């Protein structure tokens, strides 16, 4: 019986060590991140060096833009959303090519964004003009659909 208890303690100890090692690695990777947070979700950490996730906006910055009546195009996404994982490699380069400043709001890191901006599902792109929402597109779409949406809503 003592051998079983010792064996179980060793297994629990190994899992605890792996947990803390993984946590320490994620904290190291997330140092100096654009989110201004000490710890990030592991899927967000994976995106830190991805060129498609470099135009991050923080909630305070977005609120300020909306309150100032700035025109802003916001891509609300979650790194856990399979539709977002498919959509981002389409819309990020497209927006860049079309010279649309598409800022990205990570709903996994800032969960209040779901309620604050009326997001029901991801991905969602919202166009704000004069501080008011004027249009949104929801879900995965083909590139041509996003291109048409950008032309109609952001390039006027």
């Amino acid at each position: 019986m003592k051998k079983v208890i010792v064996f179980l303690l060793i297994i629990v100890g190994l899992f605890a060590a792996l947990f803390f090692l993984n946590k320490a690695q994620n904290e190291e990777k997330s140092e100096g991140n654009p989110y201004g947070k000490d710890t990030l979700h592991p899927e967000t950490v994976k995106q830190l060096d991805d060129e498609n996730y470099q135009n991050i906006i923080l909630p305070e910055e977005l609120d300020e833009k909306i309150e100032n009546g700035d025109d802003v195009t916001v891509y609300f996404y979650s790194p856990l959303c399979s539709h977002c994982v498919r959509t981002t490699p389409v819309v990020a380069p497209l927006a860049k090519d079309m010279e649309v400043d598409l800022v990205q709001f990570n709903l996994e890191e800032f969960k209040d964004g779901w309620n604050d901006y009326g997001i029901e599902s991801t991905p969602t792109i919202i166009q704000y003009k004069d501080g008011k929402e004027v249009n949104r597109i929801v879900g995965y779409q083909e590139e041509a659909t996003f291109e048409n949406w950008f032309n109609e809503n952001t390039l006027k």
Side-chain angles (χ1 to χ4, degrees):
M1 185 67 175
K2 288 183 182 180
K3 289 181 182 180
V4 172
I5 292 174
V6 169
F7 183 71
L8 288 174
L9 287 174
I10 290 171
I11 290 175
V12 168
L14 286 174
F15 277 110
L18 286 174
F19 171 79
F20 286 112
L21 179 63
N22 188 39
K23 184 177 180 199
Q25 286 176 335
N26 280 343
E27 287 175 358
E28 182 181 323
K29 287 179 187 174
S30 60
E31 281 183 20
N33 69 71
Y35 296 94
K37 297 173 79 174
D38 291 334
T39 58
L40 299 172
H41 189 281
E43 292 302 314
T44 298
V45 171
K46 289 178 185 177
Q47 296 175 342
L48 288 175
D49 294 327
D50 188 327
E51 66 183 37
N52 289 321
Y53 295 95
Q54 298 302 310
N55 201 15
I56 302 301
I57 192 164
L58 303 178
E60 316 74 62
E61 295 169 330
L62 180 55
D63 291 342
E64 184 178 324
K65 285 183 174 286
I66 292 171
E67 288 171 15
N68 290 339
D70 295 344
D71 292 352
V72 61
T73 309
V74 187
Y75 173 51
F76 293 93
Y77 75 98
S78 168
L80 303 177
C81 164
S82 62
H83 299 295
C84 299
V85 171
R86 287 177 52 209
T87 299
T88 305
V90 173
V91 298
L94 178 64
K96 186 175 182 179
D97 290 346
M98 295 179 71
E99 298 181 3
V100 172
D101 184 19
L102 182 68
V103 295
Q104 300 164 322
F105 191 102
N106 185 328
L107 290 162
E108 186 60 36
E109 296 303 328
F110 303 107
K111 294 183 186 289
D112 289 346
W114 289 96
N115 291 328
D116 293 348
Y117 306 104
I119 307 301
E120 295 178 6
S121 65
T122 55
T124 296
I125 301 175
I126 298 179
Q127 177 64 40
Y128 294 93
K129 289 192 187 275
D130 301 320
K132 306 270 188 242
E133 178 182 336
V134 293
N135 207 347
R136 71 173 56 198
I137 186 169
V138 178
Y140 176 78
Q141 310 289 328
E142 296 299 320
E143 183 174 356
T145 304
F146 286 118
E147 185 174 1
N148 290 337
W149 191 88
F150 285 142
N151 279 323
E152 291 173 11
N153 294 284
T154 64
L155 301 177
K156 291 183 176 182

